[in-house]
Structure formats: C-alpha cells, structure tokens
Amino acid sequence: MEKINIIVDTLEQKDFFLFRYYADVIVSNEHLKTGDYSIRGYTDRITIDRKANSGELYNNFGKDWKRIKAELERMRTYDAAYFVCAFPYDDLRVFPERSGIPKANWKNLVCNAGFLRKRIYEIHEQYTNVEFLFFKDKYEAEDATYKLLKEFYISESENNV
C-alpha cells in the first residue's frame, strides 16, 4: 500500500487532526505558506485550512481579515482549496452560541451571525475554487480532510502514470 505524506503546518494545533487511524498516512510537520494541511509534492496545488469553531471564523473575518484575504488570494491559484470547519453550519445561525467565545465577551462582538454567513457567501462568489465544508465535529472533519487529500493524491498519481 502506497502511503500518502500529509503535511501539517507547524503553526497548526498539534492535537487537532492527528491522522493516527489511517494506516496509509505519514504525517510531517512543516511550514506551509497557505493553509494547515497539504500533501508532499503538491503543497502549491491543494490546501486545507481547518477552522475549529465559529469563534475562529469570527476572528478571521474581523480582526484577522487582512491576513485571511491574503491567504484567499494565494488559494485562488490552487487546484483545490478548502476551509474545513469542525463544527456544523447551524453554529453560524446561532452565533455566538457554541462559538468558543466566552459569554462575558458577547456584548463586545462587532459582527453577528448574518455577517459570518454573508462573508462566506462573498468569499464563495469571489474565490470560486475555495470551498467551505462543515462537519458535525472534529472527528468527522478529520476524516473528511483525509478523504479530500487522499482523493487528490490518487487522482494525481493516476494522471501521472
């Protein structure tokens, strides 16, 4: 069985997606210029940026917007670019509930649930190759990340035969 070498960005949380239950995966921790996960040999063609909760999206779409916008511009050149959200889309409807943002800080929030959904729509319209995918929890999101990377790797291997 050929193994897929998944690269995890050195800035990614060390315990989020470990890929330990996949016998065909080798994990390497290296700096990625875009996203949190990619495949050795294809780091400029496929990228996956993981989002833990709607609070992380809130920060990305607010105070970190300039950095995220630059990342989106880089993603524009990729064959496959994803934001894998380890929380259900419904969390964007009830934001800031289940966001990970302490309730005491909710009164200081400058964006609401509608803004987060609108920003995702605007990103989808402007960056047509970038997909937002939402999952029940981090385990389902990890499995989806594995499948996206594996599918890309197999497709590229078949095309290069």
Side-chain angles (χ1 to χ4, degrees):
M1 166 181 14
E2 186 175 354
K3 297 207 177 220
I4 178 174
N5 188 334
I6 295 177
I7 298 176
V8 179
D9 185 61
T10 53
L11 297 177
E12 173 64 344
Q13 295 177 23
K14 296 291 184 237
D15 64 344
F16 213 83
F17 293 168
L18 301 173
F19 303 104
R20 71 171 73 156
Y21 299 108
Y22 304 96
D24 61 342
V25 170
I26 299 168
V27 175
S28 301
N29 291 92
E30 298 174 21
H31 172 70
L32 291 171
K33 101 181 152 177
T34 303
D36 299 317
Y37 303 94
S38 192
I39 307 167
R40 177 160 320 285
Y42 302 100
T43 57
D44 58 346
R45 302 213 22 235
I46 183 168
T47 185
I48 296 176
D49 195 322
R50 188 256 335 136
K51 299 299 172 201
N53 54 43
S54 59
E56 187 175 355
L57 273 184
Y58 169 82
N59 287 327
N60 289 167
F61 294 168
K63 68 179 183 171
D64 295 338
W65 180 240
K66 187 175 181 181
R67 180 183 62 79
I68 293 301
K69 184 88 166 143
E71 183 163 18
L72 286 163
E73 286 299 323
R74 290 189 305 273
M75 285 177 154
R76 185 188 298 275
T77 66
Y78 283 66
D79 297 329
Y82 304 93
F83 283 95
V84 168
C85 301
F87 59 93
Y89 184 82
D90 192 54
D91 284 7
L92 296 179
R93 295 185 195 287
V94 299
F95 179 84
E97 292 177 34
R98 300 192 303 248
S99 67
I101 298 171
K103 197 167 192 168
N105 297 348
W106 289 6
K107 64 185 176 297
N108 300 321
L109 297 178
V110 295
C111 302
N112 61 22
F115 173 81
L116 296 178
R117 293 190 311 271
K118 181 178 177 238
R119 180 70 85 185
I120 289 171
Y121 175 79
E122 289 169 348
I123 290 168
H124 178 69
E125 289 295 304
Q126 189 171 357
Y127 303 92
T128 56
N129 68 315
V130 176
E131 291 186 58
F132 278 83
L133 305 173
F134 294 86
F135 298 95
K136 177 179 63 175
D137 56 29
K138 83 178 215 172
Y139 305 105
E140 192 177 272
E142 177 181 14
D143 191 52
T145 298
Y146 162 76
K147 288 175 180 171
L148 288 166
L149 293 169
K150 176 89 176 186
E151 206 172 278
F152 185 89
Y153 183 75
I154 289 170
S155 173
E156 288 304 308
S157 296
E158 289 172 355
N159 289 338
N160 293 328
V161 172

